[in-house]
Amino acid sequence: MVGAIDIGGTKTIVALVQEDGTIVASERFPTCRAHCEAHLDACCEALQRLLCGRGLDVWCLSGIGATVPGIVDEKGQKLVHCAYPDWNRKPIGHMLGGRMGGLPVLIENDVNACALAELRFGAGGLHDFLWVTVSTGVGGAVVSGGRLVRGSKGFAGELGHIKVEYGRPCVCPSCGGRGCLEAHGSGRALDRMFRLEMKRNSQLAALVEGQGLPADGRGCAALAQQGVPQAVACFRRLGSYLGRGLGAAVNVLNPQAVILGGGVADSFSLMYNFIMETFCSCVHPSLMPVQLLHTGLGYHAALLGAAALALKGK
């Protein structure tokens, strides 16, 4: 059994996980982005509570894996770059290990960890694929020959910054550039599209209000499921941009499959045909077929990635 810690931008999940990926017990709480050390203390305390609740101690664990929202060094110990100042360049792996009696700890970028989870617990035998998280933003990881591709500086897989719009490009909230996939094919982009449709169409706005739906991508998905044309059109545009970005990546990397995860990807059935329509027109025919799949790991993909890290380090 291993300890798994998934530190996200808003929430953290700590769990005990068996070698087959079964989550034995877990605890969830908000991420303290302002105070790294205090948050790591909270993570270790939660892990200790989970162990004590089962009459176990820390030495029952063969290791600990943790995911972090940033770039990690090759040795899986230091957070090289993070958006949160108090976390930047901290040796997270050593800090967690010191709090847990010297147990071996490996850390990994959250999206890369999802790809590792897919390799170990999902993927159906695939060994060349792209993992793409479509959530508030768009993140990616590249697996080639069964191994994670990091690139010279550890930034490989930044699919969210492929340019997909040149005519009327929006500013990317992450990099400040224009026309990025993250600016046009993310959850934030879907929110923007849907609110613009509501502003243009008073009947749509009334429908949202009448059904008590949120005026964001979740409300858009609910109405698209009902076949409301304006909501379906938002997913058509979103899917088209995703098809462009994913098609460009496939032309370079020649994977067997593209696997989508993240909150927006939960609306996979609403996007699939629209993504594939553009995707197939962008990918060179010699590289087809390429599977477009929705991960079967669900909400706990990154957490299972943390477990896969610990199991890999055994």
Side-chain angles (χ1 to χ4, degrees):
M1 187 164 59
V2 297
I5 303 173
D6 172 23
I7 302 173
T10 57
K11 54 80 182 166
T12 290
I13 305 175
V14 176
L16 304 176
V17 183
Q18 294 179 341
E19 291 198 14
D20 64 357
T22 300
I23 298 171
V24 176
S26 65
E27 187 173 320
R28 172 178 168 164
F29 48 94
T31 298
C32 181
R33 293 177 289 187
H35 301 289
C36 175
E37 295 210 19
H39 189 67
L40 296 184
D41 287 341
C43 291
C44 293
E45 289 164 6
L47 193 53
Q48 292 280 15
R49 279 194 297 274
L50 294 176
L51 288 165
C52 290
R54 278 145 192 82
L56 305 173
D57 63 30
V58 69
W59 301 112
C60 294
L61 301 179
S62 56
I64 298 171
T67 70
V68 290
I71 304 302
V72 173
D73 73 337
E74 284 281 359
K75 295 181 180 179
Q77 286 291 330
K78 182 182 288 186
L79 185 53
V80 177
H81 176 76
C82 180
Y84 316 131
D86 196 54
W87 291 70
N88 211 14
R89 304 198 65 81
K90 291 285 178 69
I92 305 295
H94 291 301
M95 293 166 74
L96 285 169
R99 287 163 167 78
M100 296 300 294
L103 268 181
V105 178
L106 289 175
I107 65 170
E108 183 56 270
N109 166 266
D110 49 4
V111 181
N112 283 349
C114 289
L116 293 175
E118 202 70 54
L119 265 176
R120 187 171 186 109
F121 303 118
L126 297 173
H127 52 268
D128 287 273
F129 62 86
L130 305 180
W131 168 280
V132 184
T133 295
V134 187
S135 187
T136 302
V138 177
V142 181
V143 173
S144 179
R147 297 175 64 89
L148 190 66
V149 176
R150 294 183 178 278
S152 64
K153 295 184 179 180
F155 285 86
E158 288 290 340
L159 308 183
H161 301 291
I162 293 173
K163 303 300 181 185
V164 296
E165 176 60 63
Y166 290 93
R168 301 182 66 182
C170 293
V171 175
C172 178
S174 296
C175 74
R178 288 183 174 271
C180 296
L181 178 59
E182 184 157 315
H184 293 273
S186 63
R188 189 184 285 111
L190 181 61
D191 292 346
R192 185 184 66 245
M193 291 177 200
F194 187 55
R195 287 168 184 153
L196 183 58
E197 287 293 336
M198 290 175 59
K199 187 175 180 179
R200 290 171 174 167
N201 190 311
S202 59
Q203 290 182 322
L204 178 64
L207 189 60
V208 170
E209 184 177 355
Q211 294 192 21
L213 297 172
D216 58 17
R218 293 168 297 167
C220 185
L223 293 182
Q225 291 282 7
Q226 299 173 34
V228 175
Q230 296 90 343
V232 172
C234 289
F235 275 97
R236 179 179 289 109
R237 288 197 294 277
L238 188 79
S240 177
Y241 283 123
L242 285 167
R244 290 182 197 179
L246 299 179
V250 164
N251 282 332
V252 174
L253 297 166
N254 186 28
Q256 298 167 286
V258 177
I259 303 174
L260 299 185
V264 178
D266 288 344
S267 298
F268 184 74
S269 61
L270 296 172
M271 301 187 293
Y272 178 82
N273 289 336
F274 302 134
I275 294 173
M276 289 303 293
E277 182 179 338
T278 306
F279 180 79
C280 291
S281 70
C282 292
V283 176
H284 192 281
S286 65
L287 303 179
M288 296 296 282
V290 178
Q291 299 179 71
L292 179 64
L293 306 172
H294 184 215
T295 182
L297 301 179
Y299 179 75
H300 287 122
L303 182 70
L304 291 173
L309 268 178
L311 291 165
K312 182 181 178 182
K314 287 177 59 178

